[in-house]
Amino acid sequence: MKSDIEIAREAKLKKISEIAKEIGIDEEYIEPYGKFIAKVNLNFLKKISERKDGKLILVTAITPTPAGEGKTTTSIGLSMALNKLGKKSIVTLREPSLGPVFGIKGGAAGGGYSQVLPMENINLHFTGDIHAISSAHNLISAVIDSHIKFGNELKINPAKVFWKRTMDMNDRALRQIVVGLGGNTNGLPREDGFIITAASEIMAILCLAKDLKDLKERLGNIVLAESFDKKLIKVRDLKIEGALTVLLKDAIKPNLVQTIENTPAFIHGGPFANIAHGTNSIISTKMALKLADYVVTEAGFAADLGAEKYLDFVTQVANFNVNAVVLVATIKALKYHGGVNKNDLSKENVDAMLKGMDNLKTHIENLKLYNVPVVVALNVFPTDTENELKAFSNNCNAPHAFLRAFQMGSEGAIDLAKLVTENISETPHTPIVNFNMSIEEKLETLATKIYRAKKVIYTDKAKSKLKFLKRHGFENLPVIVAKTQSSISDDPKKINAPKNYDFTIRDFELSAGAGFVVALAGEIMRMPGLSKIPNATNIDIDEDGNIIGLS
Amino acid sequence: MKSDIEIAREAKLKKISEIAKEIGIDEEYIEPYGKFIAKVNLNFLKKISERKDGKLILVTAITPTPAGEGKTTTSIGLSMALNKLGKKSIVTLREPSLGPVFGIKGGAAGGGYSQVLPMENINLHFTGDIHAISSAHNLISAVIDSHIKFGNELKINPAKVFWKRTMDMNDRALRQIVVGLGGNTNGLPREDGFIITAASEIMAILCLAKDLKDLKERLGNIVLAESFDKKLIKVRDLKIEGALTVLLKDAIKPNLVQTIENTPAFIHGGPFANIAHGTNSIISTKMALKLADYVVTEAGFAADLGAEKYLDFVTQVANFNVNAVVLVATIKALKYHGGVNKNDLSKENVDAMLKGMDNLKTHIENLKLYNVPVVVALNVFPTDTENELKAFSNNCNAPHAFLRAFQMGSEGAIDLAKLVTENISETPHTPIVNFNMSIEEKLETLATKIYRAKKVIYTDKAKSKLKFLKRHGFENLPVIVAKTQSSISDDPKKINAPKNYDFTIRDFELSAGAGFVVALAGEIMRMPGLSKIPNATNIDIDEDGNIIGLS
């Protein structure tokens, strides 16, 4: 099969103004970035705000394995297939981060015959949203250190600055650093570090903000540091929430692109799915819901992380209703959960696959707690055997379809699309976590119902941080659990369907601007590193501007 | 008078496609960024490469003082006035950096009635060029540290990494840092620092590159570090020059905008004028020369820095010919050079002004060494008195015009425009520095002829670095002098017209990718800081997206 970039280059793209016109966005609201990408002015959302929402389909997956699952290609393929069935459908996705593009993972614009285009631009600087977030984030840091240097009126304790710097790069050398060296001219030395921009609270904020006013409010609420007299220092105390909002004035506008089959796609925002909520911006999904019959959106990592956060948190903030969930699985991944070594996943092994289906079943059971229809998409690989596929069908206790969107585009997703349209719920889904519960109640609910733990254990550090949160009035914030994506539990080694274990909360972090508390149930990497031979060494461009090595 | 942003908001902008059409750029070569900004595809430059060049007018200034001079408003006003006179004129300028926008200086899109628009976007992320440069720059750093961690095949000496990291921010706490702390997972600790992106060698390279191929070649040539066995490590050794070029594939394309009077402007690239050559990209000026009768371009800082580098270096690299130089002066600045305290510059003082005219005369004499006509633009301020203006006219030994472009736009620059058209040279200007001279010969020429020094002194460090450069075969690279902009000499305290002093070279730095050696004749700030109350605290935006506080 051809490489992603070869397939992408052969596609015939429509001008983005045409794509916009087809979904009813007037020319005056379109701000083009090149011929094939546009931002949509937020005034358009105001104009169409009274329209009825389309149906929202959430794409999620079983617990990820080294074999991959293909959520993004599924989302793109499903949306293209819905369009082929004569439905108006828009897919809304997250923006790729540059770090992984040059690191190990490559791009995030789908793959094969289910891509969003122009993939080169989407995978590179795109419309500059992530750069804008980096600038806003780092302006805060520069102002903090400058404030400390020039008299420190707010009495910021340099040892209690929670706000790290950021860069959209896989750069492990920046994880832990000392800044402000070189004497008084350069300020005061203190420990600091960089996180990747996707992990910035500003990324989460941008994806949750309803409009410019809400954005500014949330930015002002960010808690940065503690003062020597134990007060919390917010962005608002530095008086720069206006400047930050100015830096984000274009980043807040949804990005419109097209799929390889010229159907519309919004690619906007990309927060992590462990320390944040892991899905594209509320604004872009809201806009899509006003324009389409079906909106297909994707949540990061597996269902216990991305889908849980979407169904419990994002939908309550955004006032969305999810009408169906598509749960992606692969035969290979099921075999991995069934105990097969990652080098043997191409060999037929029906028994292991059946064993690994416990992971799938757990996610299905979990999702049904939300009173939402679940459709399973089995993403078919060339190595899957007839026996395996048949055994899967016979043992899958939910409506399911075989998917070949990577190899065939919409044609490979037609069965799934039909199945989804037949399984759309008309009644609202029901979150299992109520915003009014205490932090502990929320965690108890998630740990026992979703993560299948016996009980929640809090380390001393977590207990002390919980007191801190309560003292400062944050005891009723929504809770975002940061845990491994490799297991339903808090232990990456527990594959398949762990249960009856102790779920340990090690620490809490406050994202007061985004409006949630992060409960840390594991080591979470906020700044990835490059591999020994990074993907950057494979990427090149010729004299005419043709790129190779991007995928 | 209204604020810059108020004036900007009242302007009626034409669509950028119209501006492009008026100067003959076909629709197919235009890549819009919103409605009023476009990048021009480099294939267009190929297509028109056989056309004859228009006339090139270089705008420079006397030695800067706290009073300011107004080079950018002069350049914009002059180009608008040339258009008003029925000439086809394009102004080519540098891109503003975000650091100063949020720091102390504010934006760099002109001012008053001589602005380039949309000033908000130009002063913020614009088309993302500077962000792209930051990404490319920092990818190199990440790969260096990753290479060292994973076995260090190239034997890079961590204590001899010349390549610092970069950020487009005024952030003094990042000037001197230690990275790689936290144990083996995070790599090896070493000293490092951040420079502002405008000071990155990649910024200089982007502005000197002729096309994608030349860009990749120059990026590959960057010297990053020394190995334990004293070899120089280049970007090419890391095999990432292709990935860097990919990151810069759009940044290399000129940005087309318009002035407040709807005349065309290219704003592209923005290297420092001390440690680099200080002017917009060669590609954008080349494109402008193929499209206009007159191209007005600006060089950074005063004539001894920006104009010297333009006339001696940029034009030889680009094969440009400068047909006239406009030297900007103000009565206030002349009084400052004449010894008046900065708080008294609004008071009439003809004698001080006449004394300060020695600075102007020195720059005029210097420029005449290049066999290029010099026209003086006296940028008139409301506080200038009749007596002062009359005395200026009587004592200025070069053609001169009074300029009121800030207050009146093109109307205020008509006299200057007429004078410039009458003083266009048809013969090539003659550089005073020959690329074949040795580094010492080049410095001797500049120090004695331009900086008016008695002789050049080299510190021991400079002598040793000179040997290093010769050992590695760089003895014939062009020389870029990095010195204070506040004096013609190497001492910022020596205002007006210093002479017969010792010009001291403290150190050299190699910019092998950009293709020059930097001779350091002073402390050069590569990472500015914020002031106690940064401009960021003045900037705000309302619910409808109207910005205040940008200038």
Side-chain angles (χ1 to χ4, degrees):
Chain A
M1 197 167 148
K2 289 173 185 164
S3 72
D4 287 354
I5 199 163
E6 284 168 339
I7 294 170
R9 208 174 296 150
E10 286 170 7
K12 290 264 176 295
L13 271 71
K14 287 189 185 177
K15 280 197 180 168
I16 199 64
S17 52
E18 273 184 68
I19 300 287
K21 202 174 164 188
E22 284 171 15
I23 51 173
I25 307 177
D26 309 338
E27 180 82 24
E28 64 176 300
Y29 297 107
I30 286 294
E31 297 170 7
Y33 281 65
K35 291 189 180 12
F36 306 111
I37 300 169
K39 281 194 169 280
V40 184
N41 195 295
L42 295 193
N43 288 330
F44 181 66
L45 190 54
K46 276 188 204 161
K47 190 185 152 191
I48 60 171
S49 62
E50 297 302 313
R51 290 191 196 169
K52 208 170 144 271
D53 283 358
K55 303 299 177 195
L56 182 53
I57 301 157
L58 179 67
V59 175
T60 185
I62 62 168
T63 303
T65 73
E69 320 81 44
K71 277 196 308 281
T72 307
T73 44
T74 302
S75 303
I76 296 168
L78 173 58
S79 182
M80 295 192 307
L82 286 164
N83 275 289
K84 192 151 243 173
L85 291 177
K87 318 286 184 190
K88 277 169 75 175
S89 173
I90 299 175
V91 61
T92 66
L93 299 169
R94 286 166 295 164
E95 299 185 42
S97 157
L98 271 180
V101 168
F102 291 104
I104 193 166
K105 182 165 168 267
Y113 289 91
S114 287
Q115 294 189 51
V116 281
L117 302 176
M119 72 88 97
E120 300 95 316
N121 296 60
I122 294 170
N123 278 323
L124 293 168
H125 311 289
F126 199 26
T127 55
D129 296 342
I130 298 182
H131 291 313
I133 291 166
S134 302
S135 293
H137 185 116
N138 289 324
L139 177 58
I140 297 176
S141 297
V143 173
I144 290 173
D145 281 307
S146 186
H147 183 91
I148 293 173
K149 178 185 158 64
F150 289 115
N152 200 3
E153 207 177 305
L154 293 168
K155 297 180 193 158
I156 296 171
N157 181 346
K160 294 267 189 172
V161 176
F162 317 129
W163 192 253
K164 297 192 169 191
R165 286 170 164 86
T166 199
M167 190 184 280
D168 187 21
M169 188 64 65
N170 284 11
D171 193 346
R172 65 167 63 74
L174 291 178
R175 284 176 191 153
Q176 247 178 278
I177 64 174
V178 173
V179 302
L181 297 171
N184 190 51
T185 323
N186 298 350
L188 274 78
R190 65 174 180 91
E191 286 184 51
D192 198 9
F194 276 75
I195 58 175
I196 194 166
T197 311
S200 165
E201 187 179 344
I202 296 185
M203 174 62 90
I205 288 174
L206 188 85
C207 291
L208 293 168
K210 290 179 188 72
D211 50 33
L212 273 178
K213 191 184 163 191
D214 185 30
L215 177 66
K216 187 156 81 179
E217 179 68 23
R218 287 171 183 269
L219 290 167
N221 287 343
I222 295 173
V223 170
L224 304 169
E226 203 177 273
S227 69
F228 286 115
D229 47 5
K230 305 277 178 203
K231 284 187 194 133
L232 296 186
I233 308 298
K234 297 183 177 184
V235 162
R236 192 167 289 112
D237 299 319
L238 298 173
K239 303 188 178 71
I240 54 170
E241 69 275 21
L244 301 181
T245 311
V246 166
L247 277 168
L248 298 169
K249 76 180 177 64
D250 293 314
I252 197 180
K253 301 170 187 166
N255 305 301
L256 178 66
V257 296
Q258 63 193 287
T259 67
I260 201 163
E261 298 183 7
N262 310 120
T263 70
F266 283 117
I267 317 270
H268 194 220
F272 272 18
N274 41 34
I275 60 153
H277 56 287
T279 190
N280 65 294
S281 76
I282 284 181
I283 284 184
S284 63
T285 296
K286 183 166 281 189
M287 194 177 277
L289 285 169
K290 300 295 179 189
L291 295 170
D293 303 326
Y294 292 89
V295 174
V296 181
T297 195
E298 176 199 8
F301 295 140
D304 54 321
L305 281 164
E308 182 280 313
K309 284 162 189 171
Y310 204 85
L311 294 163
D312 278 326
F313 173 67
V314 177
T315 54
Q316 292 199 66
V317 173
N319 203 18
F320 289 160
N321 181 44
V322 172
N323 304 92
V325 173
V326 171
L327 182 61
V328 183
T330 67
I331 296 288
K332 281 188 182 189
L334 294 172
K335 285 190 279 194
Y336 185 86
H337 282 296
V340 175
N341 186 288
K342 69 173 178 178
N343 299 318
D344 297 328
L345 294 175
S346 298
K347 292 183 204 145
E348 180 176 289
N349 191 334
V350 172
D351 289 346
M353 189 209 70
L354 290 174
K355 189 174 166 217
M357 282 183 77
D358 286 349
N359 183 267
L360 175 70
K361 284 172 189 162
T362 305
H363 287 300
I364 293 172
E365 278 175 24
N366 284 352
L367 290 164
K368 289 200 167 160
L369 297 176
Y370 295 91
N371 284 317
V372 65
V374 180
V375 172
V376 175
L378 188 92
N379 195 2
V380 179
F381 279 63
T383 50
D384 299 345
T385 69
E386 278 301 312
N387 290 331
E388 287 170 334
L389 294 174
K390 200 174 289 174
F392 176 85
S393 268
N394 292 338
N395 288 279
C396 182
N397 59 351
H400 56 276
F402 293 142
L403 179 80
R404 291 179 178 86
F406 183 87
Q407 301 92 326
M408 299 163 65
S410 62
E411 277 302 331
I414 283 286
D415 291 347
L416 177 65
K418 284 181 187 159
L419 197 63
V420 167
T421 57
E422 291 159 8
N423 282 278
I424 290 288
S425 160
E426 294 292 336
T427 55
H429 80 272
T430 51
I432 64 167
V433 172
N434 185 320
F435 280 9
N436 292 325
M437 293 172 172
S438 72
I439 291 173
E440 293 99 320
E441 286 169 330
K442 283 167 183 155
L443 284 169
E444 188 71 21
T445 305
L446 292 176
T448 54
K449 293 192 174 174
I450 304 295
Y451 316 138
R452 310 303 180 101
K454 207 163 57 215
K455 62 175 189 293
V456 182
I457 306 281
Y458 296 88
T459 64
D460 287 349
K461 195 173 182 188
K463 283 179 195 161
S464 134
K465 199 61 89 60
L466 205 48
K467 278 184 202 152
F468 163 92
L469 291 169
K470 288 179 182 175
R471 192 166 65 240
H472 290 288
F474 296 112
E475 67 265 37
N476 286 321
L477 276 189
V479 173
I480 289 289
V481 177
K483 68 169 197 74
T484 178
Q485 65 268 30
S486 304
S487 171
I488 291 175
S489 75
D490 56 354
D491 177 359
K493 296 202 191 76
K494 291 185 179 138
I495 53 171
N496 210 354
K499 53 187 167 182
N500 291 324
Y501 61 94
D502 289 340
F503 190 86
T504 308
I505 301 294
R506 302 182 189 195
D507 198 359
F508 288 95
E509 281 189 15
L510 175 61
S511 289
F516 54 71
V517 165
V518 183
L520 292 157
E523 290 295 334
I524 303 301
M525 177 57 65
R526 271 160 238 230
M527 174 50 96
L530 293 171
S531 50
K532 182 168 183 182
I533 300 175
N535 198 30
T537 59
N538 304 321
I539 295 173
D540 204 357
I541 186 167
D542 70 16
E543 289 171 41
D544 298 320
N546 298 309
I547 297 172
I548 59 163
L550 265 187
S551 65
Chain B
M1 198 167 148
K2 290 172 184 163
S3 73
D4 288 354
I5 199 162
E6 285 168 340
I7 294 170
R9 207 175 296 150
E10 287 170 7
K12 291 263 177 294
L13 270 72
K14 288 187 185 179
K15 281 197 180 166
I16 199 63
S17 52
E18 272 185 69
I19 300 289
K21 202 174 164 188
E22 284 172 15
I23 51 174
I25 308 177
D26 309 338
E27 180 82 23
E28 64 177 298
Y29 297 107
I30 286 294
E31 298 170 5
Y33 281 66
K35 291 189 180 12
F36 306 111
I37 300 169
K39 281 196 169 281
V40 184
N41 195 295
L42 295 192
N43 289 331
F44 181 65
L45 191 55
K46 276 188 202 157
K47 189 184 151 191
I48 60 171
S49 62
E50 296 302 314
R51 291 191 195 168
K52 207 169 144 271
D53 282 357
K55 303 298 178 195
L56 182 54
I57 300 157
L58 178 68
V59 175
T60 185
I62 64 168
T63 303
T65 74
E69 319 80 45
K71 277 197 307 281
T72 307
T73 44
T74 302
S75 303
I76 297 167
L78 173 57
S79 181
M80 295 193 305
L82 285 163
N83 276 289
K84 193 151 240 173
L85 290 176
K87 319 285 184 189
K88 276 169 75 174
S89 173
I90 299 175
V91 61
T92 66
L93 300 169
R94 285 166 295 164
E95 298 185 42
S97 158
L98 270 180
V101 167
F102 290 103
I104 194 165
K105 184 166 166 266
Y113 289 91
S114 287
Q115 294 188 50
V116 280
L117 301 177
M119 72 89 94
E120 300 95 318
N121 296 59
I122 294 170
N123 278 322
L124 294 167
H125 310 290
F126 199 27
T127 55
D129 296 342
I130 299 181
H131 291 313
I133 292 167
S134 302
S135 293
H137 185 117
N138 290 325
L139 177 58
I140 298 176
S141 297
V143 173
I144 290 173
D145 281 308
S146 185
H147 183 91
I148 293 173
K149 178 186 158 63
F150 289 113
N152 200 3
E153 206 177 307
L154 293 168
K155 298 181 193 157
I156 296 170
N157 182 347
K160 294 268 189 172
V161 176
F162 316 131
W163 192 255
K164 296 192 168 190
R165 286 170 163 87
T166 199
M167 191 183 281
D168 188 21
M169 188 64 65
N170 285 10
D171 192 347
R172 64 167 67 72
L174 291 178
R175 283 175 193 154
Q176 250 179 276
I177 65 176
V178 173
V179 301
L181 298 171
N184 188 53
T185 323
N186 298 349
L188 273 78
R190 65 176 180 89
E191 286 185 50
D192 197 10
F194 275 75
I195 58 174
I196 194 165
T197 312
S200 165
E201 186 178 345
I202 297 185
M203 174 62 90
I205 287 173
L206 188 84
C207 291
L208 293 168
K210 290 178 188 72
D211 51 33
L212 273 179
K213 191 183 164 192
D214 186 30
L215 177 66
K216 187 156 81 178
E217 178 69 22
R218 287 171 184 269
L219 291 167
N221 288 342
I222 296 173
V223 170
L224 303 169
E226 205 177 272
S227 68
F228 285 115
D229 47 4
K230 305 279 178 202
K231 283 186 195 135
L232 295 186
I233 309 297
K234 297 183 177 184
V235 162
R236 191 167 291 114
D237 299 319
L238 299 173
K239 303 188 178 73
I240 54 169
E241 69 275 20
L244 301 181
T245 310
V246 166
L247 277 168
L248 297 169
K249 77 180 177 62
D250 292 313
I252 198 179
K253 301 170 188 167
N255 305 301
L256 178 66
V257 295
Q258 63 193 289
T259 69
I260 201 162
E261 297 183 8
N262 310 119
T263 70
F266 283 116
I267 317 271
H268 193 221
F272 272 17
N274 42 35
I275 59 154
H277 57 287
T279 190
N280 65 294
S281 76
I282 284 180
I283 284 183
S284 63
T285 295
K286 183 166 281 187
M287 195 178 277
L289 284 168
K290 299 294 179 191
L291 295 171
D293 304 326
Y294 292 90
V295 173
V296 181
T297 195
E298 176 198 9
F301 295 139
D304 55 319
L305 280 164
E308 183 279 313
K309 284 162 189 170
Y310 204 85
L311 294 163
D312 279 326
F313 173 67
V314 178
T315 54
Q316 292 199 66
V317 173
N319 203 18
F320 288 161
N321 181 44
V322 172
N323 304 91
V325 173
V326 172
L327 182 61
V328 183
T330 67
I331 296 288
K332 280 187 181 189
L334 294 172
K335 283 191 281 195
Y336 185 87
H337 281 296
V340 175
N341 185 287
K342 72 172 175 178
N343 300 317
D344 297 328
L345 294 174
S346 298
K347 292 182 205 148
E348 181 175 290
N349 191 334
V350 172
D351 289 346
M353 188 209 71
L354 290 174
K355 191 175 163 213
M357 282 183 76
D358 286 349
N359 183 268
L360 175 69
K361 283 172 190 162
T362 305
H363 286 299
I364 293 172
E365 279 176 24
N366 283 352
L367 290 164
K368 289 199 166 162
L369 297 176
Y370 295 90
N371 284 316
V372 65
V374 180
V375 171
V376 175
L378 188 91
N379 194 2
V380 179
F381 278 63
T383 50
D384 300 345
T385 70
E386 278 302 311
N387 290 330
E388 287 170 334
L389 294 173
K390 198 174 290 172
F392 175 86
S393 268
N394 292 337
N395 287 277
C396 183
N397 59 353
H400 57 276
F402 293 143
L403 179 79
R404 291 178 178 86
F406 184 88
Q407 303 91 325
M408 300 163 64
S410 63
E411 277 302 330
I414 283 286
D415 291 348
L416 177 65
K418 284 180 186 159
L419 198 62
V420 166
T421 57
E422 291 159 7
N423 281 277
I424 290 289
S425 162
E426 295 292 336
T427 55
H429 80 272
T430 50
I432 64 167
V433 172
N434 184 321
F435 281 9
N436 292 325
M437 294 172 171
S438 72
I439 291 173
E440 293 98 318
E441 285 170 328
K442 283 167 184 155
L443 284 169
E444 188 71 21
T445 305
L446 292 177
T448 53
K449 292 192 176 173
I450 304 294
Y451 315 139
R452 309 304 179 102
K454 209 163 55 216
K455 62 175 189 294
V456 183
I457 306 281
Y458 295 88
T459 63
D460 287 349
K461 195 174 183 188
K463 282 179 196 160
S464 134
K465 199 61 90 58
L466 206 48
K467 276 185 203 153
F468 164 93
L469 291 169
K470 287 181 183 175
R471 192 166 66 238
H472 290 288
F474 296 111
E475 67 265 36
N476 285 322
L477 276 190
V479 173
I480 289 289
V481 177
K483 69 170 197 71
T484 177
Q485 65 269 30
S486 304
S487 172
I488 291 175
S489 76
D490 56 356
D491 177 359
K493 297 202 189 74
K494 290 185 180 137
I495 54 171
N496 210 355
K499 53 186 167 183
N500 290 325
Y501 61 94
D502 290 341
F503 190 87
T504 308
I505 301 293
R506 301 181 190 196
D507 199 359
F508 288 96
E509 282 188 15
L510 175 61
S511 289
F516 54 71
V517 164
V518 183
L520 292 158
E523 290 295 335
I524 303 300
M525 176 59 64
R526 270 161 239 225
M527 174 49 95
L530 293 171
S531 51
K532 183 169 183 180
I533 301 175
N535 197 31
T537 59
N538 305 320
I539 295 173
D540 205 356
I541 186 166
D542 70 17
E543 289 170 40
D544 299 319
N546 298 307
I547 297 172
I548 60 163
L550 266 186
S551 65

